[in-house]
């Protein structure tokens, strides 16, 4: 790839769908937001109460919470039986800047970093922004839309790095423990550095996803309060890094972003113990997932990725369109249901995919299904006429 090809950052089309959705809502239309990957619930009530107290009593300067670092380190012991020191945790303003820190600490410009296609749009674009070369690995239903050890091992030349995401966006698929162990073995053997995006951990509908740290202690792990903790707008996340990566990653955090917000750090610490409320959200997502899975055949959608986790369903709409962006725009204009076009996640095959986010209320999922069934039927009829 040439430097100018690497540097070309593509738009995030779901954001454009979101803008259209808000424009239509402004005209009085009843819009259902299934385009963004964000919980419609707020932060846990106790976290919000803590933030109110902090606002009344704290001057709110630059600050890093030692208690939160400790609590995150404890989380790795409790959830994954992985021992890490609090010094290995770096607090960030969400997973997005955590990626900038991780990638720029591990790789020099021009390095080649492999990732699954389809995958989260920002991986590709963050890599390009940092003048790193994305090596997209086409992943289809046979490999559950995930990188496999065999495919990684077959890359010639071997990449310098690998981004893993399990559960993944846009598919929700989880990498099985034995496959994750095999991927770790290839990475160790070929000296491929791994950045593991674990932002959807806690949101699994079968066995919980494993952390890459369970197989590869040298992996850099990215996580955030945006999904399981339902705090996307608070902009809080973290990185776990090896001791030798702490200094470069921390230097980047402090120079580029200073510290996360004081309010978010206090609230995040409380949120980590609000399990009952957070598991209630997961139960809601599980209900929504069941409803959508049951309804998809009546929309004529039967080629979907198995959504093991996260809150997405990625479905093949190739029999209805060759232009997923135009399809999503029309669906939104006609029914008020906003969805994300596959081209955000896959520049090659994404024109025939759509992503539904079911992180909305169950009532809204039911309403969206009711609106979409006749619309999809009329699209299918128009195509076959
Ligand atoms: C897979 C994945 N990683 C990272 C992010 C960024 O999250 P944050 O809000 O923590 O920056 C998202 C947001 O949707 C995501 O889906």
């Amino acid at each position: 790839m040439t430097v100018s090809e690497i540097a070309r950052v593509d738009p995030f089309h779901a954001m454009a769908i979101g803008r259209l959705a808000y424009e239509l809502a402004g005209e009085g239309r009843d819009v259902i937001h299934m385009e963004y990957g964000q919980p419609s619930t707020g932060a846990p009530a106790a976290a919000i109460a803590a933030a109110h107290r902090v606002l009344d009593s704290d001057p709110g300067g630059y600050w890093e919470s030692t208690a939160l670092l400790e609590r995150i380190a404890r989380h790795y012991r409790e959830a994954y039986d992985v021992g890490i020191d609090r010094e290995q945790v770096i607090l960030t303003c969400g997973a997005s800047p955590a990626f900038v820190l991780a990638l720029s600490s591990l790789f020099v410009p021009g390095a080649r970093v492999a990732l699954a296609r389809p995958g989260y749009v920002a991986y590709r674009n963050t890599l390009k922004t940092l003048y790193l070369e994305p090596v997209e690995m086409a992943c289809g239903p046979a490999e559950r839309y995930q990188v496999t050890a065999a495919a990684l091992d077959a890359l010639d030349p071997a990449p310098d790095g690998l981004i893993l995401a399990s559960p993944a966006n846009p598919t929700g698929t989880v990498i099985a423990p034995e496959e994750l162990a095999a991927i770790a073995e290839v990475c160790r053997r070929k000296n491929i550095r791994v950045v593991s995006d674990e932002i959807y951990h806690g949101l699994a509908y079968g066995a919980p996803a494993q952390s890459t740290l369970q197989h590869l202690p040298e992996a850099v792990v990215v996580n955030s309060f945006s999904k399981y903790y339902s705090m996307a707008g608070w902009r809080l996340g973290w990185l776990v890094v090896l001791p030798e990566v702490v200094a470069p990653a921390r230097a980047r955090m402090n120079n580029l972003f200073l510290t996360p917000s004081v309010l978010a750090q206090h609230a995040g610490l409380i949120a980590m113990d609000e399990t009952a409320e957070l598991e209630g959200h997961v139960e809601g997502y599980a209900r929504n997932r069941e409803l959508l899975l049951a309804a998809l055949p009546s929309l004529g959608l039967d080629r979907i990725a198995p959504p093991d986790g996260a809150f997405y369903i990625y479905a093949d709409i190739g029999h209805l369109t060759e232009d997923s962006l135009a399809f999503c725009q029309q669906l939104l204009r006609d029914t008020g249901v906003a969805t994300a076009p596959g081209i955000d996640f896959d520049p090659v095959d994404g024109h025939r995919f759509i992503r539904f986010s079911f992180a909305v209320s169950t009532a809204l999922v039911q309403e969206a299904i009711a609106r979409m069934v006749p619309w999809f039927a009329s699209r299918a009829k128009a195509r076959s006429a």
Side-chain angles (χ1 to χ4, degrees):
M1 259 191 205
T2 64
V3 170
S4 65
E5 275 166 348
I6 291 179
R8 213 198 77 206
V9 170
D10 305 316
F12 196 163
H13 294 99
M15 303 302 261
I17 295 280
R19 277 196 301 277
L20 175 61
Y22 282 109
E23 210 176 286
L24 293 175
E27 291 164 11
R29 292 285 304 280
D30 183 9
V31 168
I32 302 175
H33 289 280
M34 298 175 83
E35 76 280 37
Y36 290 134
Q38 64 179 11
S40 56
T41 46
I48 294 174
H52 278 292
R53 286 194 299 275
V54 172
L55 200 54
D56 287 337
S57 61
D58 190 294
Y62 302 125
W63 178 67
E64 284 170 284
S65 164
T66 309
L68 183 57
L69 294 172
E70 289 274 11
R71 181 65 187 84
I72 291 170
R74 194 180 108 204
H75 173 68
Y76 283 85
R77 288 194 289 280
E78 291 175 353
Y80 309 110
D81 198 20
V82 167
I84 57 162
D85 192 85
R86 71 159 195 241
E87 285 301 310
Q88 289 175 255
V89 181
I90 293 164
L91 298 175
T92 64
C93 313
S96 307
F99 265 101
V100 174
L101 308 186
L103 295 170
S104 64
S105 298
L106 293 181
F107 306 111
V108 293
R112 300 168 64 255
V113 180
L115 67 167
R117 175 171 58 74
Y120 177 50
V121 59
Y123 298 149
R124 196 173 0 113
N125 289 324
T126 307
L127 286 167
K128 288 174 157 197
T129 303
L130 296 169
Y131 298 97
L132 302 171
E133 184 175 340
V135 178
E136 295 190 331
M137 300 175 66
C139 300
E143 47 280 328
R144 302 167 63 79
Y145 297 92
Q146 286 280 7
V147 169
T148 62
L152 182 66
D153 209 5
L155 283 183
D156 186 18
D160 302 292
L162 171 69
I163 295 177
L164 288 177
S166 170
N169 178 6
T171 58
T173 60
V174 167
I175 302 176
E178 52 286 4
E179 191 62 38
L180 195 55
I183 291 172
E185 187 280 319
V186 175
C187 292
R188 210 174 287 117
R189 179 161 42 85
K190 297 199 161 175
N191 197 22
I192 300 170
R193 294 180 177 197
V194 175
V195 178
S196 180
D197 186 355
E198 302 188 353
I199 191 169
Y200 291 104
H201 278 217
L203 303 176
Y205 307 105
Q210 288 196 331
S211 171
T212 301
L213 289 175
Q214 290 170 264
H215 301 279
L216 194 67
E218 54 270 44
V220 170
V221 166
V222 171
N223 209 325
S224 164
F225 284 79
S226 293
K227 311 296 175 176
Y228 177 74
Y229 298 101
S230 193
M231 294 174 66
W234 295 71
R235 310 308 304 136
L236 183 64
W238 71 87
L239 266 184
V240 179
V241 297
L242 273 187
E244 55 266 34
V245 187
V246 169
R250 194 177 293 290
R252 282 163 173 75
M253 176 62 203
N254 294 153
N255 279 287
L256 298 178
F257 308 106
L258 292 166
T259 64
S261 103
V262 167
L263 277 188
Q265 293 181 68
H266 280 287
L269 179 63
I270 301 295
M272 288 190 81
D273 289 314
E274 291 308 297
T275 310
E277 188 173 334
L278 297 170
E279 287 300 312
H281 299 334
V282 181
E283 281 164 26
Y285 303 145
R287 269 197 310 276
N288 297 351
R289 173 180 171 277
E290 288 299 325
L291 276 172
L292 266 175
L293 287 176
L296 289 180
S298 48
L299 269 62
L301 304 183
D302 52 12
R303 289 166 312 215
I304 60 159
D308 309 315
F311 31 56
Y312 304 119
I313 289 182
Y314 195 57
D316 190 336
I317 49 169
H319 57 297
L320 298 175
T321 187
E322 288 84 42
D323 183 347
S324 56
L325 179 59
F327 186 91
C328 290
Q329 284 165 337
Q330 201 57 51
L331 174 64
L332 171 57
R333 286 187 194 283
D334 292 348
T335 68
V337 179
T339 53
I343 47 162
D344 266 342
F345 313 100
D346 181 345
V348 178
D349 294 318
H351 58 276
R352 58 180 180 87
F353 283 88
I354 189 169
R355 187 196 73 178
F356 302 98
S357 167
F358 52 81
V360 293
S361 71
T362 299
L364 284 179
V365 170
Q366 283 165 328
E367 173 63 21
I369 292 169
R371 293 186 201 176
M372 287 193 294
V373 168
W375 190 86
F376 272 77
S378 68
R379 280 293 285 225
K381 208 163 148 199
R383 285 282 281 198
S384 60

